[in-house]
């Protein structure tokens, strides 16, 4: 969404319409983000450019894919951008982190619907929201997404699935199989211009 509120052919918007016309939602795949923002990370040289790019885009909401799984690290970093951003979370996040404070990725894998392994557990999706907007934003419990998607999806054998897995057809091999989410979509729930909206962040293959 752009930041213009009017043009020669369209009158300027007012009230909630103006808020929506100026609202900017952006998605960015910051490849190997953790290696850029972690202290001593091997890609730390990219960090100034990442900061500059976010400042130039100046999004109200930024969905990051291939983001770090280290939520406390991301929260600290987001608060130091050109304007402070907050990172909305799933209810129960603080309690889960308290149980494994030295391993935030492992602490949150189950709650956030990510496989508990180092390979698939490093490409997370987070939303950054400008702190000044007070949108009441939080992430929806991933169980809601899984129940909704899996309960209405039939696999390659036309069987209704309720286990969170999806039917997958391997075209080159002419066979069907099952797959689960290695990059669990995340759903941000926020109030924008008086409307409670859901934004789905997905990292697709």
């Amino acid at each position: 969404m752009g930041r213009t509120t009017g043009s020669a052919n369209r009158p300027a918007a007012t009230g909630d319409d103006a808020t929506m016309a100026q609202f900017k939602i952006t998605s960015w795949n910051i490849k190997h983000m953790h290696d850029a923002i972690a202290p001593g990370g091997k890609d730390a040289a990219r960090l100034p450019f990442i900061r500059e790019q976010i400042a130039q885009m100046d999004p109200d909401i930024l969905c990051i894919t291939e983001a770090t799984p280290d939520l406390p690290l991301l929260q600290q970093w987001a608060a130091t951008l050109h304007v402070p951003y907050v990172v909305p979370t799933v209810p129960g996040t603080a309690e889960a982190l308290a149980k494994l404070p030295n391993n935030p990725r492992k602490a949150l894998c189950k709650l956030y619907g990510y496989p508990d392994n180092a390979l698939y557990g490093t490409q997370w999706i987070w939303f950054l929201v400008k702190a000044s907007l007070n949108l009441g934003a939080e992430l929806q419990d991933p169980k809601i997404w899984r129940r909704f998607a899996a309960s209405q999806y039939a696999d390659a054998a036309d069987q209704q699935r309720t286990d969170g897995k999806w039917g997958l057809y391997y075209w080159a091999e002419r066979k069907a199989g099952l797959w689960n989410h290695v990059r669990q979509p995340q759903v941000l729930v926020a109030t924008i211009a008086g409307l409670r909206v859901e934004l789905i962040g997905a990292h697709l293959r």
Side-chain angles (χ1 to χ4, degrees), residues 58-93:
D58 191 32
D60 296 302
I61 296 177
L62 172 62
C63 176
I64 300 177
T65 60
E66 288 205 38
T68 176
D70 190 331
L71 174 60
L73 174 66
L74 180 63
Q75 289 173 322
Q76 294 170 13
W77 179 76
T80 66
L81 293 173
H82 67 289
V83 295
Y85 283 82
V86 295
V87 185
T89 59
V90 171
T93 294

PDB file of all heavy atoms in Angstrom, residues 58-93:
ATOM      1  N   ASP A  58      10.357   2.159   5.396  1.00  0.00           N
ATOM      2  CA  ASP A  58       9.563   2.716   6.487  1.00  0.00           C
ATOM      3  C   ASP A  58       8.186   2.058   6.589  1.00  0.00           C
ATOM      4  O   ASP A  58       7.158   2.738   6.601  1.00  0.00           O
ATOM      5  CB  ASP A  58       9.412   4.231   6.309  1.00  0.00           C
ATOM      6  CG  ASP A  58       8.828   4.899   7.551  1.00  0.00           C
ATOM      7  OD1 ASP A  58       9.088   4.417   8.669  1.00  0.00           O
ATOM      8  OD2 ASP A  58       8.087   5.889   7.392  1.00  0.00           O
ATOM      9  N   PRO A  59       8.120   0.731   6.695  1.00  0.00           N
ATOM     10  CA  PRO A  59       6.813   0.074   6.753  1.00  0.00           C
ATOM     11  C   PRO A  59       6.166   0.235   8.128  1.00  0.00           C
ATOM     12  O   PRO A  59       6.853   0.311   9.146  1.00  0.00           O
ATOM     13  CB  PRO A  59       7.155  -1.393   6.483  1.00  0.00           C
ATOM     14  CG  PRO A  59       8.545  -1.544   7.029  1.00  0.00           C
ATOM     15  CD  PRO A  59       9.235  -0.231   6.758  1.00  0.00           C
ATOM     16  N   ASP A  60       4.842   0.277   8.132  1.00  0.00           N
ATOM     17  CA  ASP A  60       4.125   0.250   9.401  1.00  0.00           C
ATOM     18  C   ASP A  60       4.155  -1.167   9.975  1.00  0.00           C
ATOM     19  O   ASP A  60       4.270  -1.355  11.184  1.00  0.00           O
ATOM     20  CB  ASP A  60       2.691   0.725   9.205  1.00  0.00           C
ATOM     21  CG  ASP A  60       2.644   2.182   8.769  1.00  0.00           C
ATOM     22  OD1 ASP A  60       3.171   3.025   9.511  1.00  0.00           O
ATOM     23  OD2 ASP A  60       2.103   2.471   7.690  1.00  0.00           O
ATOM     24  N   ILE A  61       4.019  -2.145   9.083  1.00  0.00           N
ATOM     25  CA  ILE A  61       4.158  -3.551   9.457  1.00  0.00           C
ATOM     26  C   ILE A  61       5.129  -4.188   8.478  1.00  0.00           C
ATOM     27  O   ILE A  61       4.970  -4.066   7.262  1.00  0.00           O
ATOM     28  CB  ILE A  61       2.812  -4.292   9.414  1.00  0.00           C
ATOM     29  CG1 ILE A  61       1.840  -3.711  10.451  1.00  0.00           C
ATOM     30  CG2 ILE A  61       3.009  -5.787   9.651  1.00  0.00           C
ATOM     31  CD1 ILE A  61       0.461  -4.337  10.415  1.00  0.00           C
ATOM     32  N   LEU A  62       6.133  -4.870   9.003  1.00  0.00           N
ATOM     33  CA  LEU A  62       7.118  -5.561   8.170  1.00  0.00           C
ATOM     34  C   LEU A  62       7.097  -7.043   8.513  1.00  0.00           C
ATOM     35  O   LEU A  62       7.346  -7.434   9.653  1.00  0.00           O
ATOM     36  CB  LEU A  62       8.528  -5.000   8.421  1.00  0.00           C
ATOM     37  CG  LEU A  62       9.686  -5.748   7.753  1.00  0.00           C
ATOM     38  CD1 LEU A  62       9.555  -5.725   6.234  1.00  0.00           C
ATOM     39  CD2 LEU A  62      11.029  -5.157   8.190  1.00  0.00           C
ATOM     40  N   CYS A  63       6.761  -7.862   7.528  1.00  0.00           N
ATOM     41  CA  CYS A  63       6.815  -9.319   7.699  1.00  0.00           C
ATOM     42  C   CYS A  63       8.166  -9.795   7.193  1.00  0.00           C
ATOM     43  O   CYS A  63       8.514  -9.578   6.038  1.00  0.00           O
ATOM     44  CB  CYS A  63       5.689  -9.985   6.912  1.00  0.00           C
ATOM     45  SG  CYS A  63       5.746 -11.797   6.971  1.00  0.00           S
ATOM     46  N   ILE A  64       8.936 -10.430   8.074  1.00  0.00           N
ATOM     47  CA  ILE A  64      10.264 -10.924   7.700  1.00  0.00           C
ATOM     48  C   ILE A  64      10.226 -12.443   7.580  1.00  0.00           C
ATOM     49  O   ILE A  64       9.802 -13.136   8.511  1.00  0.00           O
ATOM     50  CB  ILE A  64      11.327 -10.518   8.736  1.00  0.00           C
ATOM     51  CG1 ILE A  64      11.412  -8.998   8.843  1.00  0.00           C
ATOM     52  CG2 ILE A  64      12.696 -11.100   8.349  1.00  0.00           C
ATOM     53  CD1 ILE A  64      12.397  -8.527   9.894  1.00  0.00           C
ATOM     54  N   THR A  65      10.647 -12.952   6.424  1.00  0.00           N
ATOM     55  CA  THR A  65      10.817 -14.391   6.260  1.00  0.00           C
ATOM     56  C   THR A  65      12.308 -14.710   6.281  1.00  0.00           C
ATOM     57  O   THR A  65      13.149 -13.847   6.047  1.00  0.00           O
ATOM     58  CB  THR A  65      10.173 -14.890   4.949  1.00  0.00           C
ATOM     59  OG1 THR A  65      10.791 -14.238   3.832  1.00  0.00           O
ATOM     60  CG2 THR A  65       8.682 -14.568   4.929  1.00  0.00           C
ATOM     61  N   GLU A  66      12.618 -15.978   6.553  1.00  0.00           N
ATOM     62  CA  GLU A  66      13.992 -16.417   6.854  1.00  0.00           C
ATOM     63  C   GLU A  66      14.559 -15.609   8.012  1.00  0.00           C
ATOM     64  O   GLU A  66      15.742 -15.253   8.039  1.00  0.00           O
ATOM     65  CB  GLU A  66      14.904 -16.332   5.624  1.00  0.00           C
ATOM     66  CG  GLU A  66      14.581 -17.397   4.587  1.00  0.00           C
ATOM     67  CD  GLU A  66      15.746 -17.739   3.686  1.00  0.00           C
ATOM     68  OE1 GLU A  66      16.898 -17.790   4.164  1.00  0.00           O
ATOM     69  OE2 GLU A  66      15.491 -17.984   2.499  1.00  0.00           O
ATOM     70  N   ALA A  67      13.691 -15.306   8.962  1.00  0.00           N
ATOM     71  CA  ALA A  67      14.107 -14.510  10.113  1.00  0.00           C
ATOM     72  C   ALA A  67      14.773 -15.391  11.162  1.00  0.00           C
ATOM     73  O   ALA A  67      14.682 -16.620  11.130  1.00  0.00           O
ATOM     74  CB  ALA A  67      12.898 -13.813  10.723  1.00  0.00           C
ATOM     75  N   THR A  68      15.432 -14.749  12.110  1.00  0.00           N
ATOM     76  CA  THR A  68      16.076 -15.470  13.198  1.00  0.00           C
ATOM     77  C   THR A  68      15.035 -16.170  14.068  1.00  0.00           C
ATOM     78  O   THR A  68      13.944 -15.630  14.297  1.00  0.00           O
ATOM     79  CB  THR A  68      16.903 -14.511  14.069  1.00  0.00           C
ATOM     80  OG1 THR A  68      17.445 -15.236  15.184  1.00  0.00           O
ATOM     81  CG2 THR A  68      16.062 -13.364  14.602  1.00  0.00           C
ATOM     82  N   PRO A  69      15.345 -17.349  14.601  1.00  0.00           N
ATOM     83  CA  PRO A  69      14.440 -17.990  15.556  1.00  0.00           C
ATOM     84  C   PRO A  69      14.638 -17.451  16.974  1.00  0.00           C
ATOM     85  O   PRO A  69      13.879 -17.807  17.874  1.00  0.00           O
ATOM     86  CB  PRO A  69      14.848 -19.465  15.480  1.00  0.00           C
ATOM     87  CG  PRO A  69      16.305 -19.420  15.152  1.00  0.00           C
ATOM     88  CD  PRO A  69      16.471 -18.226  14.232  1.00  0.00           C
ATOM     89  N   ASP A  70      15.634 -16.605  17.162  1.00  0.00           N
ATOM     90  CA  ASP A  70      15.958 -16.067  18.492  1.00  0.00           C
ATOM     91  C   ASP A  70      15.092 -14.828  18.741  1.00  0.00           C
ATOM     92  O   ASP A  70      15.469 -13.704  18.404  1.00  0.00           O
ATOM     93  CB  ASP A  70      17.446 -15.712  18.549  1.00  0.00           C
ATOM     94  CG  ASP A  70      17.913 -15.368  19.961  1.00  0.00           C
ATOM     95  OD1 ASP A  70      17.081 -14.878  20.746  1.00  0.00           O
ATOM     96  OD2 ASP A  70      19.102 -15.574  20.263  1.00  0.00           O
ATOM     97  N   LEU A  71      13.923 -15.048  19.343  1.00  0.00           N
ATOM     98  CA  LEU A  71      12.981 -13.952  19.549  1.00  0.00           C
ATOM     99  C   LEU A  71      13.550 -12.831  20.419  1.00  0.00           C
ATOM    100  O   LEU A  71      13.418 -11.650  20.055  1.00  0.00           O
ATOM    101  CB  LEU A  71      11.681 -14.483  20.146  1.00  0.00           C
ATOM    102  CG  LEU A  71      10.652 -13.429  20.545  1.00  0.00           C
ATOM    103  CD1 LEU A  71      10.225 -12.582  19.361  1.00  0.00           C
ATOM    104  CD2 LEU A  71       9.447 -14.096  21.210  1.00  0.00           C
ATOM    105  N   PRO A  72      14.165 -13.100  21.572  1.00  0.00           N
ATOM    106  CA  PRO A  72      14.711 -11.990  22.365  1.00  0.00           C
ATOM    107  C   PRO A  72      15.720 -11.146  21.593  1.00  0.00           C
ATOM    108  O   PRO A  72      15.734  -9.920  21.714  1.00  0.00           O
ATOM    109  CB  PRO A  72      15.361 -12.705  23.560  1.00  0.00           C
ATOM    110  CG  PRO A  72      14.585 -13.978  23.703  1.00  0.00           C
ATOM    111  CD  PRO A  72      14.290 -14.396  22.283  1.00  0.00           C
ATOM    112  N   LEU A  73      16.561 -11.806  20.794  1.00  0.00           N
ATOM    113  CA  LEU A  73      17.527 -11.072  19.978  1.00  0.00           C
ATOM    114  C   LEU A  73      16.802 -10.184  18.971  1.00  0.00           C
ATOM    115  O   LEU A  73      17.150  -9.005  18.787  1.00  0.00           O
ATOM    116  CB  LEU A  73      18.440 -12.052  19.236  1.00  0.00           C
ATOM    117  CG  LEU A  73      19.409 -11.436  18.218  1.00  0.00           C
ATOM    118  CD1 LEU A  73      20.439 -10.556  18.915  1.00  0.00           C
ATOM    119  CD2 LEU A  73      20.105 -12.538  17.415  1.00  0.00           C
ATOM    120  N   LEU A  74      15.772 -10.721  18.317  1.00  0.00           N
ATOM    121  CA  LEU A  74      15.025  -9.941  17.332  1.00  0.00           C
ATOM    122  C   LEU A  74      14.325  -8.759  17.988  1.00  0.00           C
ATOM    123  O   LEU A  74      14.311  -7.647  17.447  1.00  0.00           O
ATOM    124  CB  LEU A  74      14.008 -10.835  16.628  1.00  0.00           C
ATOM    125  CG  LEU A  74      13.144 -10.149  15.567  1.00  0.00           C
ATOM    126  CD1 LEU A  74      14.012  -9.633  14.418  1.00  0.00           C
ATOM    127  CD2 LEU A  74      12.068 -11.096  15.052  1.00  0.00           C
ATOM    128  N   GLN A  75      13.749  -8.970  19.157  1.00  0.00           N
ATOM    129  CA  GLN A  75      13.056  -7.887  19.859  1.00  0.00           C
ATOM    130  C   GLN A  75      14.013  -6.754  20.210  1.00  0.00           C
ATOM    131  O   GLN A  75      13.681  -5.577  20.051  1.00  0.00           O
ATOM    132  CB  GLN A  75      12.378  -8.433  21.112  1.00  0.00           C
ATOM    133  CG  GLN A  75      11.168  -9.322  20.816  1.00  0.00           C
ATOM    134  CD  GLN A  75      10.617  -9.992  22.059  1.00  0.00           C
ATOM    135  OE1 GLN A  75      11.376 -10.412  22.942  1.00  0.00           O
ATOM    136  NE2 GLN A  75       9.304 -10.115  22.139  1.00  0.00           N
ATOM    137  N   GLN A  76      15.202  -7.126  20.676  1.00  0.00           N
ATOM    138  CA  GLN A  76      16.196  -6.100  21.019  1.00  0.00           C
ATOM    139  C   GLN A  76      16.614  -5.325  19.784  1.00  0.00           C
ATOM    140  O   GLN A  76      16.733  -4.089  19.808  1.00  0.00           O
ATOM    141  CB  GLN A  76      17.415  -6.762  21.670  1.00  0.00           C
ATOM    142  CG  GLN A  76      17.132  -7.389  23.021  1.00  0.00           C
ATOM    143  CD  GLN A  76      18.287  -8.246  23.510  1.00  0.00           C
ATOM    144  OE1 GLN A  76      19.390  -8.203  22.967  1.00  0.00           O
ATOM    145  NE2 GLN A  76      18.034  -9.035  24.550  1.00  0.00           N
ATOM    146  N   TRP A  77      16.818  -6.036  18.687  1.00  0.00           N
ATOM    147  CA  TRP A  77      17.254  -5.399  17.444  1.00  0.00           C
ATOM    148  C   TRP A  77      16.161  -4.512  16.871  1.00  0.00           C
ATOM    149  O   TRP A  77      16.416  -3.384  16.437  1.00  0.00           O
ATOM    150  CB  TRP A  77      17.648  -6.488  16.446  1.00  0.00           C
ATOM    151  CG  TRP A  77      18.087  -5.968  15.118  1.00  0.00           C
ATOM    152  CD1 TRP A  77      19.290  -5.394  14.808  1.00  0.00           C
ATOM    153  CD2 TRP A  77      17.307  -5.967  13.906  1.00  0.00           C
ATOM    154  NE1 TRP A  77      19.310  -5.042  13.476  1.00  0.00           N
ATOM    155  CE2 TRP A  77      18.116  -5.390  12.909  1.00  0.00           C
ATOM    156  CE3 TRP A  77      16.042  -6.412  13.590  1.00  0.00           C
ATOM    157  CZ2 TRP A  77      17.678  -5.237  11.603  1.00  0.00           C
ATOM    158  CZ3 TRP A  77      15.595  -6.262  12.282  1.00  0.00           C
ATOM    159  CH2 TRP A  77      16.408  -5.679  11.307  1.00  0.00           C
ATOM    160  N   ALA A  78      14.916  -4.990  16.878  1.00  0.00           N
ATOM    161  CA  ALA A  78      13.799  -4.229  16.308  1.00  0.00           C
ATOM    162  C   ALA A  78      13.589  -2.906  17.031  1.00  0.00           C
ATOM    163  O   ALA A  78      13.179  -1.915  16.424  1.00  0.00           O
ATOM    164  CB  ALA A  78      12.519  -5.067  16.355  1.00  0.00           C
ATOM    165  N   ALA A  79      13.898  -2.888  18.309  1.00  0.00           N
ATOM    166  CA  ALA A  79      13.712  -1.659  19.094  1.00  0.00           C
ATOM    167  C   ALA A  79      14.754  -0.602  18.766  1.00  0.00           C
ATOM    168  O   ALA A  79      14.605   0.555  19.165  1.00  0.00           O
ATOM    169  CB  ALA A  79      13.754  -1.989  20.583  1.00  0.00           C
ATOM    170  N   THR A  80      15.797  -0.977  18.008  1.00  0.00           N
ATOM    171  CA  THR A  80      16.876  -0.027  17.702  1.00  0.00           C
ATOM    172  C   THR A  80      16.860   0.440  16.250  1.00  0.00           C
ATOM    173  O   THR A  80      17.804   1.078  15.798  1.00  0.00           O
ATOM    174  CB  THR A  80      18.253  -0.659  17.989  1.00  0.00           C
ATOM    175  OG1 THR A  80      18.481  -1.746  17.074  1.00  0.00           O
ATOM    176  CG2 THR A  80      18.334  -1.163  19.417  1.00  0.00           C
ATOM    177  N   LEU A  81      15.801   0.119  15.504  1.00  0.00           N
ATOM    178  CA  LEU A  81      15.719   0.540  14.108  1.00  0.00           C
ATOM    179  C   LEU A  81      15.444   2.043  14.021  1.00  0.00           C
ATOM    180  O   LEU A  81      15.402   2.723  15.045  1.00  0.00           O
ATOM    181  CB  LEU A  81      14.643  -0.271  13.386  1.00  0.00           C
ATOM    182  CG  LEU A  81      14.972  -1.761  13.228  1.00  0.00           C
ATOM    183  CD1 LEU A  81      13.784  -2.520  12.657  1.00  0.00           C
ATOM    184  CD2 LEU A  81      16.210  -1.966  12.365  1.00  0.00           C
ATOM    185  N   HIS A  82      15.236   2.559  12.827  1.00  0.00           N
ATOM    186  CA  HIS A  82      15.085   4.015  12.654  1.00  0.00           C
ATOM    187  C   HIS A  82      13.942   4.567  13.504  1.00  0.00           C
ATOM    188  O   HIS A  82      13.965   5.722  13.916  1.00  0.00           O
ATOM    189  CB  HIS A  82      14.875   4.354  11.181  1.00  0.00           C
ATOM    190  CG  HIS A  82      13.571   3.871  10.618  1.00  0.00           C
ATOM    191  ND1 HIS A  82      13.305   2.534  10.393  1.00  0.00           N
ATOM    192  CD2 HIS A  82      12.445   4.545  10.256  1.00  0.00           C
ATOM    193  CE1 HIS A  82      12.083   2.400   9.903  1.00  0.00           C
ATOM    194  NE2 HIS A  82      11.539   3.602   9.808  1.00  0.00           N
ATOM    195  N   VAL A  83      12.918   3.744  13.723  1.00  0.00           N
ATOM    196  CA  VAL A  83      11.893   3.998  14.741  1.00  0.00           C
ATOM    197  C   VAL A  83      11.704   2.669  15.459  1.00  0.00           C
ATOM    198  O   VAL A  83      11.922   1.604  14.878  1.00  0.00           O
ATOM    199  CB  VAL A  83      10.555   4.483  14.133  1.00  0.00           C
ATOM    200  CG1 VAL A  83      10.709   5.831  13.461  1.00  0.00           C
ATOM    201  CG2 VAL A  83       9.982   3.451  13.164  1.00  0.00           C
ATOM    202  N   PRO A  84      11.316   2.687  16.720  1.00  0.00           N
ATOM    203  CA  PRO A  84      11.177   1.403  17.442  1.00  0.00           C
ATOM    204  C   PRO A  84      10.037   0.551  16.874  1.00  0.00           C
ATOM    205  O   PRO A  84       8.946   1.056  16.583  1.00  0.00           O
ATOM    206  CB  PRO A  84      10.869   1.847  18.877  1.00  0.00           C
ATOM    207  CG  PRO A  84      11.345   3.257  18.970  1.00  0.00           C
ATOM    208  CD  PRO A  84      11.132   3.841  17.604  1.00  0.00           C
ATOM    209  N   TYR A  85      10.325  -0.729  16.729  1.00  0.00           N
ATOM    210  CA  TYR A  85       9.324  -1.715  16.330  1.00  0.00           C
ATOM    211  C   TYR A  85       9.161  -2.736  17.455  1.00  0.00           C
ATOM    212  O   TYR A  85      10.125  -3.021  18.182  1.00  0.00           O
ATOM    213  CB  TYR A  85       9.747  -2.451  15.056  1.00  0.00           C
ATOM    214  CG  TYR A  85       9.577  -1.665  13.776  1.00  0.00           C
ATOM    215  CD1 TYR A  85      10.532  -0.733  13.386  1.00  0.00           C
ATOM    216  CD2 TYR A  85       8.476  -1.863  12.946  1.00  0.00           C
ATOM    217  CE1 TYR A  85      10.394  -0.013  12.211  1.00  0.00           C
ATOM    218  CE2 TYR A  85       8.333  -1.149  11.758  1.00  0.00           C
ATOM    219  CZ  TYR A  85       9.293  -0.225  11.401  1.00  0.00           C
ATOM    220  OH  TYR A  85       9.151   0.488  10.234  1.00  0.00           O
ATOM    221  N   VAL A  86       7.969  -3.274  17.566  1.00  0.00           N
ATOM    222  CA  VAL A  86       7.726  -4.382  18.480  1.00  0.00           C
ATOM    223  C   VAL A  86       7.507  -5.643  17.659  1.00  0.00           C
ATOM    224  O   VAL A  86       7.181  -5.571  16.462  1.00  0.00           O
ATOM    225  CB  VAL A  86       6.511  -4.118  19.398  1.00  0.00           C
ATOM    226  CG1 VAL A  86       6.776  -2.940  20.323  1.00  0.00           C
ATOM    227  CG2 VAL A  86       5.247  -3.879  18.575  1.00  0.00           C
ATOM    228  N   VAL A  87       7.687  -6.800  18.294  1.00  0.00           N
ATOM    229  CA  VAL A  87       7.514  -8.079  17.619  1.00  0.00           C
ATOM    230  C   VAL A  87       6.359  -8.816  18.302  1.00  0.00           C
ATOM    231  O   VAL A  87       6.531  -9.382  19.377  1.00  0.00           O
ATOM    232  CB  VAL A  87       8.800  -8.927  17.691  1.00  0.00           C
ATOM    233  CG1 VAL A  87       8.634 -10.211  16.879  1.00  0.00           C
ATOM    234  CG2 VAL A  87      10.009  -8.129  17.197  1.00  0.00           C
ATOM    235  N   PRO A  88       5.170  -8.797  17.722  1.00  0.00           N
ATOM    236  CA  PRO A  88       4.034  -9.489  18.324  1.00  0.00           C
ATOM    237  C   PRO A  88       4.295 -10.986  18.466  1.00  0.00           C
ATOM    238  O   PRO A  88       4.998 -11.589  17.642  1.00  0.00           O
ATOM    239  CB  PRO A  88       2.885  -9.216  17.347  1.00  0.00           C
ATOM    240  CG  PRO A  88       3.290  -7.970  16.636  1.00  0.00           C
ATOM    241  CD  PRO A  88       4.778  -8.056  16.509  1.00  0.00           C
ATOM    242  N   THR A  89       3.725 -11.573  19.496  1.00  0.00           N
ATOM    243  CA  THR A  89       3.987 -12.976  19.794  1.00  0.00           C
ATOM    244  C   THR A  89       2.688 -13.737  20.020  1.00  0.00           C
ATOM    245  O   THR A  89       1.606 -13.165  20.124  1.00  0.00           O
ATOM    246  CB  THR A  89       4.868 -13.104  21.048  1.00  0.00           C
ATOM    247  OG1 THR A  89       4.195 -12.472  22.157  1.00  0.00           O
ATOM    248  CG2 THR A  89       6.227 -12.457  20.828  1.00  0.00           C
ATOM    249  N   VAL A  90       2.816 -15.045  20.118  1.00  0.00           N
ATOM    250  CA  VAL A  90       1.706 -15.937  20.451  1.00  0.00           C
ATOM    251  C   VAL A  90       1.522 -15.923  21.969  1.00  0.00           C
ATOM    252  O   VAL A  90       2.513 -15.913  22.715  1.00  0.00           O
ATOM    253  CB  VAL A  90       2.017 -17.372  19.966  1.00  0.00           C
ATOM    254  CG1 VAL A  90       0.995 -18.372  20.493  1.00  0.00           C
ATOM    255  CG2 VAL A  90       2.076 -17.418  18.442  1.00  0.00           C
ATOM    256  N   PRO A  91       0.291 -15.921  22.449  1.00  0.00           N
ATOM    257  CA  PRO A  91       0.092 -16.027  23.903  1.00  0.00           C
ATOM    258  C   PRO A  91       0.810 -17.246  24.467  1.00  0.00           C
ATOM    259  O   PRO A  91       0.805 -18.325  23.870  1.00  0.00           O
ATOM    260  CB  PRO A  91      -1.434 -16.180  24.024  1.00  0.00           C
ATOM    261  CG  PRO A  91      -1.972 -15.472  22.823  1.00  0.00           C
ATOM    262  CD  PRO A  91      -0.987 -15.746  21.722  1.00  0.00           C
ATOM    263  N   GLY A  92       1.489 -17.060  25.589  1.00  0.00           N
ATOM    264  CA  GLY A  92       2.247 -18.151  26.201  1.00  0.00           C
ATOM    265  C   GLY A  92       3.729 -18.119  25.879  1.00  0.00           C
ATOM    266  O   GLY A  92       4.500 -18.957  26.364  1.00  0.00           O
ATOM    267  N   THR A  93       4.145 -17.139  25.070  1.00  0.00           N
ATOM    268  CA  THR A  93       5.544 -17.069  24.649  1.00  0.00           C
ATOM    269  C   THR A  93       6.486 -16.827  25.824  1.00  0.00           C
ATOM    270  O   THR A  93       7.525 -17.496  25.948  1.00  0.00           O
ATOM    271  CB  THR A  93       5.726 -15.960  23.596  1.00  0.00           C
ATOM    272  OG1 THR A  93       5.010 -16.316  22.411  1.00  0.00           O
ATOM    273  CG2 THR A  93       7.197 -15.772  23.248  1.00  0.00           C
TER     274      THR A  93
END
